[in-house]
Amino acid sequence: VPALREVGEVEAIRLITRGAAARDDVVVGPGDDAAVLRCGPGEDLVATTDAMVEGRHYLSSWLEPRGRGARLAALNLSDIAAMAARPRWALLSVGVRPEHDIDALLEFQAGLAAALAADGAVIAGGNLVAVRGDEWWSLTLLGSVARERAWRRAGARPGDLLALTGLPGRAAAGFLLAHEHADIAREPMWRPLLEAWLHPRARTAFAQALAAAGVVSAAIDVSDGVAGDLAHLCAASHMGCDVEAWSLPEDSLIARAAGIIRRPVTPLRLGPSDDYELLLAVDPRGRAAAEQVARDTQTPLWFIGRFTPQPGQLALVEVHGGRTPLGRGFDHFTGAR
Ligand SMILES: [Mg+2]
């Protein structure tokens, strides 16, 4: 397999962009100074960017190039989902060493393109640079949403319900198993936790269907963990939130993993974890509509708390009334709770 050094930049770009962006909303695709994209009338353009750095955001031993591409897609798609937007166009920027083999680069590209296509987006352009040190992969993803209809972190109201998709903390549990107990982590029973970390899927279809129901007042995706991202949402909305311990979804797998990685289970579930799930403020009158959308899109959805008018006051509430602050320091690395 030839290395990038032998293939050369121009040929590598030709290979990487081959067949890309043959779509009529891409007016000018790869090969010019910038892409020209046709956004419909009455729409807002939504833009996000996120990167992965070798050794820091992924380990080559755990994530092959195709999976790495899919993961880069997912973390950007998740931000677009959190805005209730439709993913449309992506710009890829890559810093790779000259000895990087071209097949691995094309595998990465294929994984990225397939994951984007599954949610309706296409790579519209990009850039390739040579690096000497750690490699990095950066994606800019553009989407569109009906004018003024994008979800924001601001907008939650007192009495709104806190809704959560999926099972929080699984990505952190998978990450910690892989980093601290690599041999155990390869056992099949832990696969769902490793999948949550390595192969997250953005909640794109759910978000778009739910947006149409018009019941969400604020939203954020979970990249820092439930406690951290809920704090971001509450800060933007000038609200507080009570998370009900008894409403958290059952997850016996993470409870078993907590024993192996020696972390208390609740901080593991609510602390730092890049799950790429959604946290939503939902009008209580819209609960049934949200549950219907969840069923229609086969999305696990839980109502786990309620927003309060006390800015910045986040707490985990026990059924007997005990309250634990859910602020900074709620962290499975310190074990605080
Ligand atoms: Mg986000």
Side-chain angles (χ1 to χ4, degrees):
V1 174
L4 267 181
R5 181 184 283 123
E6 285 100 59
V7 175
E9 183 183 333
V10 172
E11 176 63 3
I13 289 172
R14 191 191 68 78
L15 289 169
I16 231 175
T17 56
R18 203 168 34 175
R23 221 165 71 167
D24 60 8
D25 56 358
V26 181
V27 183
V28 178
D32 211 309
D33 291 314
V36 177
L37 312 168
R38 184 156 291 155
C39 209
E43 286 185 303
D44 288 330
L45 190 65
V46 176
T48 187
T49 187
D50 215 328
M52 301 195 321
V53 177
E54 183 180 24
R56 209 179 135 75
H57 301 109
Y58 67 93
L59 296 174
S60 301
S61 54
W62 281 98
L63 198 56
E64 81 296 356
R66 179 171 274 268
R68 210 177 298 153
R71 190 168 198 282
L72 182 62
L75 38 100
N76 282 278
L77 287 164
S78 183
D79 277 326
I80 294 291
M83 308 297 289
R86 178 161 73 98
R88 295 183 69 172
W89 308 285
L91 301 166
L92 175 66
S93 194
V94 167
V96 286
R97 290 182 290 271
E99 61 271 21
H100 197 104
D101 84 59
I102 186 73
D103 279 2
L105 190 62
L106 293 174
E107 276 294 301
F108 169 88
Q109 150 81 15
L112 174 70
L116 289 171
D119 280 355
V122 65
I123 299 170
N127 178 43
L128 183 65
V129 297
V131 297
R132 288 211 191 90
D134 291 334
E135 300 190 329
W136 49 265
W137 316 78
S138 177
L139 193 75
T140 296
L141 183 58
L142 305 173
S144 62
V145 65
R147 195 161 290 178
E148 300 296 330
R149 299 302 294 272
W151 290 342
R152 301 177 189 206
R153 296 179 181 188
R157 295 157 302 199
D160 278 352
L161 305 177
L162 173 64
L164 167 72
T165 62
L167 297 171
R170 285 195 157 203
F175 172 90
L176 291 167
L177 269 176
H179 281 73
E180 298 175 4
H181 302 273
D183 45 337
I184 296 175
R186 304 264 180 205
E187 293 170 9
M189 72 166 292
W190 304 115
R191 197 65 220 166
L193 303 182
L194 275 293
E195 285 288 309
W197 169 47
L198 295 170
H199 304 293
R201 278 293 311 271
R203 297 291 185 184
T204 306
F206 169 72
Q208 284 173 66
L210 187 59
V215 300
V216 171
S217 52
I220 190 169
D221 75 317
V222 179
S223 54
D224 292 343
V226 167
D229 288 305
L230 180 58
H232 296 318
L233 191 153
C234 283
S237 292
H238 307 293
M239 288 291 129
C241 193
D242 285 352
V243 176
E244 301 157 350
W246 64 91
S247 299
L248 294 174
E250 293 281 325
D251 191 350
S252 59
L253 193 58
I254 203 170
R256 294 177 70 177
I260 292 175
I261 58 184
R262 297 174 177 278
R263 301 294 196 289
V265 66
T266 305
L268 182 60
R269 301 184 73 193
L270 303 183
S273 185
D274 46 354
D275 296 303
Y276 302 107
E277 297 292 350
L278 293 174
L279 273 174
L280 305 159
V282 176
D283 184 325
R285 291 163 296 182
R287 177 172 178 152
E291 286 171 332
Q292 185 60 50
V293 170
R295 279 191 296 274
D296 292 345
T297 56
Q298 281 139 42
T299 305
L301 181 71
W302 325 96
F303 288 87
I304 62 167
R306 196 175 278 270
F307 288 88
T308 66
Q310 289 82 40
Q313 303 232 351
L314 278 67
L316 181 67
V317 186
E318 306 292 338
V319 74
H320 52 72
R323 299 173 64 85
T324 308
L326 264 187
R328 208 172 287 161
F330 197 89
D331 184 324
H332 55 76
F333 293 103
T334 63
R337 63 157 294 173

